[in-house]
């Protein structure tokens, strides 16, 4: 590529990015998931629009997989554990049993109704079986649902990509061999090891970042996001579920009290948006609009089966034994949004060489567009009709933490030793240089915040916050009073180092 071609490519890429951002603003205004307009940008730039040729399914699969990993890390980093803690069990069942039920029901229906051979039918059922994390995160978070319900939807969408990917890979094998025992073992291994790696990377990463002061605040979001991608890659290397590992690592890191949570959340959301824009534009490029008309009827039939039969049945069977009100079940059945995940998964059988697998891409593309047009704008209306939107939608404040070195501050600790003239000196009399303050005193194993008239005792442990600039002055004052008492300056004692 010449330098001129590089400039042209960057110019076009920048225009596509800006157009996609403008599409996001438009989509938000009319209540549509922005993925629909991202796909439109890709189709517009493609061979039937501006003429850009793109038919590399392998490249689309690689970029799409990486983008989904980024989206899932972002989903984890923006998920509050308190919102999903009580719904982990039903979300886990929805993500596994629900995916299996939806796959079988959809595959059986399209096999008998459309005459599709069993391999393509199973692939189609598996491809559309999982809800899409990007679509759910972008729509549900602007609909004020009860925390339990929104948490259940978010957790399900974060978990169920993994089983869907595993099923698609199993059904893409040539020749197709269905061994239930082998499939069950594969699912257990990939999900189990993916869970262990995701949680392990999350906890170890959080423990490390809490003990390590990085030289710049902007490095914390990078490090946190990088840990999520490490979990994804490590699980993939172990032939486990990288998607599940990425999401779980993000959830753990986001809820571990790490510094700069607000900055990390904003950075993750930006990366997630960039990944969504990239993957949808690429998938839009991959589709040939002139081939879509032949698959409209199969796509509509598949969509109706999924919307009216497969999804409701999977929700009903998965939530047996859980105390989920019928209104929430109805909403869960309707809110099973589809987006990037099904279209990306369609590239797997294409790359594997499954006959007629390009047909799946066209069917799923139409299905996703229809689902988005019908479901996206209707979610708030359905929630209102089911009386699920709470009256009080006040959002909680977000409290952030930052290392003291980033704030230009220092945390000093000292103990009042026997013989020290600090004995009986009050905090006010100590007269530490401004801005310095004793934030905590630990006395006989009990911690308390001192008041101006609190007197210091032998054995007290003091926690003092000061600035980097005044640290030396604060240390000098502490040494001076410890040597000569509160009137140290009258005795020309200024706390010079011994």
């Amino acid at each position: 590529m010449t330098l001129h071609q590089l400039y042209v490519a960057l110019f076009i890429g920048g225009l596509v990015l800006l157009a996609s951002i403008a599409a996001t603003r438009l989509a938000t205004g009319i209540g549509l998931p922005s993925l629909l307009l991202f796909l439109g940008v890709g189709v517009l730039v493609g061979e039937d629009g501006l003429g850009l040729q793109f038919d590399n399914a392998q490249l689309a699969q690689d970029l799409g997989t990486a983008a989904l990993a980024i989206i899932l890390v972002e989903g984890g980093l923006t998920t509050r554990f308190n919102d999903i803690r009580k719904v982990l069990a039903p979300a886990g069942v929805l993500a596994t049993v629900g995916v299996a039920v939806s796959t079988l029901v959809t595959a059986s229906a399209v096999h008998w109704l459309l005459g599709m051979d069993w391999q393509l039918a199973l692939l189609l059922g598996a491809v559309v079986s999982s809800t899409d994390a990007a679509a759910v995160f972008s729509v549900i978070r602007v609909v004020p649902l009860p925390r339990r319900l929104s948490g259940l939807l978010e957790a399900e969408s974060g978990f169920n990509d993994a089983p869907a990917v595993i099923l698609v890979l199993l059904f893409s094998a040539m020749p197709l061999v269905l061994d239930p025992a082998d499939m069950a073992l594969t699912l257990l291994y990939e999900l189990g090891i993916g869970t262990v790696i995701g949680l392990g990377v999350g906890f170890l990463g959080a423990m490390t970042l809490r003990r390590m002061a990085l030289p710049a605040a902007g490095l914390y979001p990078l490090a946190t996001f990088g840990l999520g991608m490490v979990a994804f890659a490590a699980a993939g290397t172990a032939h486990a579920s990288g998607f599940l590992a990425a999401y779980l690592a993000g959830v753990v890191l986001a809820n571990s009290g790490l510094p700069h949570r607000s900055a990390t959340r904003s950075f993750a959301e930006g990366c997630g948006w960039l990944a969504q824009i990239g993957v949808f534009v690429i998938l839009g490029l991959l589709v040939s609009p002139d081939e879509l008309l032949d698959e409209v009827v199969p796509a509509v039939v598949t969509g109706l089966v999924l919307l009216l039969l497969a999804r409701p049945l999977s929700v009903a069977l998965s939530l047996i034994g859980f105390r989920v009100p019928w209104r929430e079940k109805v909403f869960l059945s309707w809110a099973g949004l589809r987006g990037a995940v099904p279209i990306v998964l369609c590239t797997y059988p294409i790359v594997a060489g499954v006959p007629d697998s390009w047909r799946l891409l066209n069917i799923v593309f139409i299905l996703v567009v229809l689902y988005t047009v019908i479901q996206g704008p209707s979610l708030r209306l359905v929630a209102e009709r089911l009386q699920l939107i709470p009256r009080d939608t006040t959002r909680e404040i977000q409290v952030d933490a930052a290392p003291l070195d980033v704030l230009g501050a220092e945390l000093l600790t000292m103990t009042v030793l026997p013989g020290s003239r600090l004995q009986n000196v009050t905090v006010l009399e100590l007269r530490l240089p401004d801005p310095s303050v004793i934030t905590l005193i630990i006395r006989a194993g009990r911690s308390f915040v001192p008041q101006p008239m609190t007197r210091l005792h032998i054995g007290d442990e003091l926690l003092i916050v000061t600035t980097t600039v005044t640290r030396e002055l604060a240390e000098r004052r502490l040494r001076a009073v410890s040597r000569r008492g509160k009137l140290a300056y009258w005795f020309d004692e200024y706390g010079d180092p011994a």
Side-chain angles (χ1 to χ4, degrees):
M1 177 182 290
T2 65
L3 189 59
H4 175 71
Q5 291 174 323
L6 175 62
Y7 289 149
V8 172
L10 290 175
F11 179 74
I12 295 174
L15 288 180
V16 170
L17 179 61
L18 292 174
S20 300
I21 293 173
T24 301
R25 180 66 185 89
L26 176 62
T28 302
I30 61 178
L32 282 176
S34 51
L35 63 90
L36 184 63
L37 297 183
F38 295 161
L39 288 173
V41 171
V43 172
L44 180 64
V45 176
E47 58 182 295
D48 290 344
L50 298 181
L52 181 61
Q53 299 285 333
F54 182 79
D55 59 0
N56 191 332
Q58 179 67 67
L59 179 60
Q61 175 185 308
D62 295 339
L63 295 177
T65 300
L68 290 181
I70 293 173
I71 290 169
L72 284 168
V73 173
E74 182 262 337
L77 290 175
T78 54
T79 296
R80 294 188 303 178
F81 183 70
N82 285 338
D83 289 346
I84 67 171
R85 177 171 55 88
K86 296 181 179 180
V87 296
L88 288 176
V93 177
L94 271 174
T96 50
V97 175
V99 166
V101 171
S102 181
T103 299
L104 291 176
V105 171
T106 305
S108 300
V110 298
H111 173 73
W112 296 111
L113 294 176
L114 302 176
M116 191 176 291
D117 70 76
W118 273 112
Q119 184 169 21
L120 278 184
L122 288 169
L123 280 169
L124 181 57
V127 161
V128 300
S129 63
S130 70
T131 56
D132 183 75
V136 169
F137 295 151
S138 64
V139 174
I140 296 302
R141 286 176 180 170
V142 298
V143 179
L145 295 171
R147 288 186 181 179
R148 171 188 168 88
L149 182 56
S150 61
L152 182 54
L153 278 167
E154 289 191 16
E156 181 203 5
S157 65
F159 294 152
N160 65 10
D161 289 345
V165 171
I166 295 169
L167 289 177
V168 169
L169 291 173
L170 290 173
F171 296 151
S172 297
M174 295 293 292
L176 177 63
V177 178
L178 298 179
D179 184 344
D182 183 63
M183 291 174 62
L185 288 175
T186 300
L187 282 168
L188 287 174
Y189 170 81
E190 295 205 19
L191 297 179
I193 300 301
T195 298
V196 171
I197 291 177
L199 295 177
V201 171
F203 283 117
L204 289 175
M207 184 173 61
T208 302
L209 288 178
R210 277 198 297 265
R211 287 165 171 76
M212 179 173 59
L214 298 178
L219 294 177
Y220 284 90
L222 283 173
T224 305
F225 202 88
L227 285 167
M229 298 305 293
V230 166
F232 170 75
T237 303
H239 303 289
S241 174
F243 295 118
L244 182 59
Y247 180 72
L248 290 176
V251 172
V252 172
L253 290 165
N255 294 273
S256 298
L258 294 179
H260 303 291
R261 284 179 294 177
S262 297
T264 299
R265 184 186 180 97
S266 298
F267 177 79
E269 289 177 344
C271 290
W273 277 111
L274 185 60
Q276 288 183 57
I277 292 171
V279 70
F280 288 127
V281 170
I282 289 174
L283 295 174
L285 284 170
L286 193 62
V287 171
S288 299
D290 58 346
E291 298 177 0
L292 296 177
L293 290 178
D294 294 336
E295 306 298 347
V296 170
V297 173
V300 171
V301 171
T302 305
L304 289 174
V305 168
L306 187 62
L307 184 64
L308 302 178
L309 182 61
R311 174 67 179 177
L313 189 58
S314 66
V315 169
L317 293 178
S318 298
L319 297 181
I320 291 177
F322 297 103
R323 294 181 179 179
V324 179
W326 70 266
R327 288 186 177 88
E328 294 187 5
K329 290 181 181 179
V330 172
F331 188 82
L332 286 168
S333 300
W334 184 257
L337 298 173
R338 269 68 182 176
V341 175
I343 305 177
V344 172
L345 292 183
C346 285
T347 62
Y348 285 73
I350 293 174
V351 173
V354 177
D356 291 332
S357 51
W358 277 98
R359 185 185 177 196
L360 292 179
L361 179 65
N362 295 327
I363 292 174
V364 171
F365 184 90
I366 298 171
L367 186 149
V368 167
V369 171
L370 291 176
Y371 249 72
T372 303
V373 170
I374 294 172
Q375 284 184 294
S378 68
L379 286 178
R380 188 181 187 95
L381 177 62
V382 172
E384 290 175 349
R385 291 294 177 86
L386 292 172
Q387 300 179 351
L388 291 174
I389 296 182
R391 294 180 180 178
D392 183 9
T393 57
T394 302
R395 300 184 66 182
E396 292 186 4
I397 62 170
Q398 297 293 322
V399 180
D400 202 1
L404 293 174
D405 65 314
V406 175
L407 303 176
E410 302 274 354
L411 179 64
L412 309 180
T413 62
M414 65 159 291
T415 302
V416 181
L417 299 175
S420 171
R421 296 289 184 89
L422 286 168
Q423 166 77 2
N424 258 348
V425 174
T426 66
V427 171
L428 181 63
E429 292 169 336
L430 191 56
R431 290 187 297 161
L432 291 175
D434 188 55
S436 301
V437 63
I438 300 177
T439 59
L440 197 69
I441 294 179
I442 304 173
R443 178 178 296 167
R446 185 177 65 88
S447 303
F448 63 94
V449 177
Q451 302 301 314
M453 300 310 296
T454 299
R455 295 186 179 276
L456 303 183
H457 294 173
I458 298 297
D460 284 355
E461 296 180 50
L462 312 182
L463 270 66
I464 305 162
V465 176
T466 184
T467 65
T468 303
V469 175
T470 57
R471 172 178 174 170
E472 184 179 352
L473 292 176
E475 290 180 351
R476 282 177 171 271
R477 178 60 181 169
L478 289 168
R479 283 196 295 264
V481 177
S482 180
R483 293 170 184 171
R484 302 302 299 266
K486 58 187 177 183
L487 299 178
Y489 290 167
W490 287 77
F491 298 102
D492 291 325
E493 173 61 65
Y494 295 99
D496 295 328

